[in-house]
């Protein structure tokens, strides 16, 4: 098990362009989460999936953001018409089905997005 | 809304105990977590505690929870230079799942600085 992986690790784009990030969770983890982290802040929750179903979306997730997990395995996060305020580290986490209701979330290394 | 507060910095001497504190506002929090983030690295889950517990010990780590005061602490015994990192407190309230499966709410993190 190699842990949660994310691709790319770094992305530089011009304002107005679309970007897509990929996350591969730990195998057999049925829950997958997306967070955003800016400098000096803790991660902020964006959305999460249980298998292929998107169960929760934060109000931070504007209409320009869309996430998918089509086969219940990897997930993509797309940002359309990027703005400079979208510059951040985008983190993915996965968790197994929790015993006793606990769901330990394991994080990937993140994708750092810079919008110029 | 949910809020998690932490002191931004803590400086301790090598070999001493470190105590990192956290307060939260959501009285329905079910699980509380501690994560560690080293420079350039992803978030590492250290430990978690269920809200009906008041203490959990795991090797050098001791977590104390005062649910009445909504106060959580992480004690690191015999602090080493390798413990230098940012420590994040996080909570979940299981609003959607009844357990801890939902997105986590993080504090801004406490920078632990080790003095030789």
């Amino acid at each position: 098990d190699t842990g949660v992986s994310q691709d790319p690790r770094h992305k530089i784009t011009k304002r107005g362009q679309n970007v897509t990030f990929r996350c591969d969770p730990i195998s057999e983890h049925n829950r997958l989460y997306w967070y955003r982290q800016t400098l000096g802040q803790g991660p902020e929750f964006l959305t999460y999936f249980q298998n292929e179903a998107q169960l929760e979306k934060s109000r931070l997730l504007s209409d320009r953001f869309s996430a998918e997990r089509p086969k219940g395995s990897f997930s993509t996060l797309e940002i359309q018409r990027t703005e400079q305020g979208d510059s951040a580290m985008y983190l993915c986490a996965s968790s197994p089905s929790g015993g006793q209701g606990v769901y330990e979330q394991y994080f990937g290394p993140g994708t750092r997005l810079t919008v110029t | 809304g949910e809020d998690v507060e932490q002191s931004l910095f803590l400086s301790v001497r090598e070999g001493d105990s470190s105590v990192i504190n956290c307060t939260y506002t959501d009285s329905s929090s079910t699980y509380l977590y501690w994560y560690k983030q080293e420079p350039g690295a992803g978030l590492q889950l250290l430990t978690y505690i269920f809200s009906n517990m008041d203490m959990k010990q795991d090797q050098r780590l001791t977590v104390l929870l005062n649910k009445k005061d909504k106060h959580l602490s992480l004690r690191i015994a015999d602090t080493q230079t390798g413990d230098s990192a940012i420590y994040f407190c996080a909570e979940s309230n299981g609003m959607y799942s009844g357990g801890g499966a939902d997105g986590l709410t993080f504090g801004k993190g406490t920078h632990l600085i080790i003095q030789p």
Side-chain angles (χ1 to χ4, degrees):
Chain A
D1 187 348
T2 57
V4 178
S5 62
Q6 294 187 245
D7 184 69
R9 295 292 303 276
H10 303 273
K11 179 71 176 179
I12 300 174
T13 191
K14 293 186 176 180
R15 188 166 53 93
Q17 298 294 305
N18 299 344
V19 293
T20 300
F21 310 139
R22 176 179 169 126
C23 171
D24 286 88
I26 295 171
S27 59
E28 297 181 0
H29 279 192
N30 63 353
R31 290 181 170 83
L32 186 148
Y33 308 77
W34 285 100
Y35 293 81
R36 180 175 68 188
Q37 186 178 21
T38 54
L39 197 61
Q41 303 293 318
E44 295 173 299
F45 170 73
L46 294 177
T47 189
Y48 100 90
F49 293 84
Q50 179 170 313
N51 300 313
E52 64 274 10
Q54 189 171 16
L55 294 188
E56 187 184 356
K57 288 196 285 188
S58 162
R59 60 183 178 277
L60 293 175
L61 209 67
S62 76
D63 291 345
R64 296 184 297 105
F65 288 70
S66 62
E68 293 182 345
R69 194 182 184 200
K71 296 181 180 178
S73 56
F74 73 92
S75 175
T76 57
L77 177 68
E78 180 183 18
I79 309 174
Q80 295 182 326
R81 304 181 303 282
T82 52
E83 301 172 357
Q84 287 188 321
D86 296 331
S87 295
M89 179 76 85
Y90 289 83
L91 298 168
C92 177
S94 69
S95 71
S97 297
Q100 300 178 340
V102 64
Y103 299 88
E104 302 171 28
Q105 295 184 28
Y106 296 90
F107 282 79
T111 294
R112 182 168 296 284
L113 173 66
T114 303
V115 181
T116 63
Chain B
E2 303 158 8
D3 198 15
V4 177
E5 298 283 342
Q6 302 178 240
S7 299
L8 290 183
F9 295 96
L10 175 67
S11 179
V12 298
R13 298 179 71 89
E14 190 175 358
D16 288 350
S17 292
S18 306
V19 180
I20 302 170
N21 294 301
C22 168
T23 58
Y24 59 98
T25 57
D26 188 347
S27 58
S28 63
S29 294
T30 53
Y31 285 93
L32 295 127
Y33 303 80
W34 284 104
Y35 281 85
K36 176 183 180 182
Q37 188 174 43
E38 296 177 90
L43 285 157
Q44 175 191 354
L45 176 63
L46 289 177
T47 187
Y48 62 87
I49 189 167
F50 186 43
S51 59
N52 70 352
M53 299 169 64
D54 52 19
M55 186 181 90
K56 181 178 181 180
Q57 187 153 4
D58 185 0
Q59 299 183 337
R60 291 192 299 126
L61 305 180
T62 303
V63 179
L64 295 178
L65 174 61
N66 182 327
K67 194 173 180 182
K68 174 176 170 287
D69 294 338
K70 300 190 188 68
H71 182 267
L72 182 74
S73 68
L74 174 68
R75 177 177 179 269
I76 305 173
D78 187 24
T79 308
Q80 303 298 309
T81 54
D83 295 324
S84 180
I86 303 174
Y87 290 81
F88 290 96
C89 169
E91 64 91 22
S92 71
N93 61 19
M95 182 168 66
Y96 293 91
S97 66
D102 304 333
L104 301 178
T105 301
F106 284 83
K108 291 186 178 181
T110 299
H111 294 243
L112 179 61
I113 300 162
I114 315 300
Q115 298 174 1

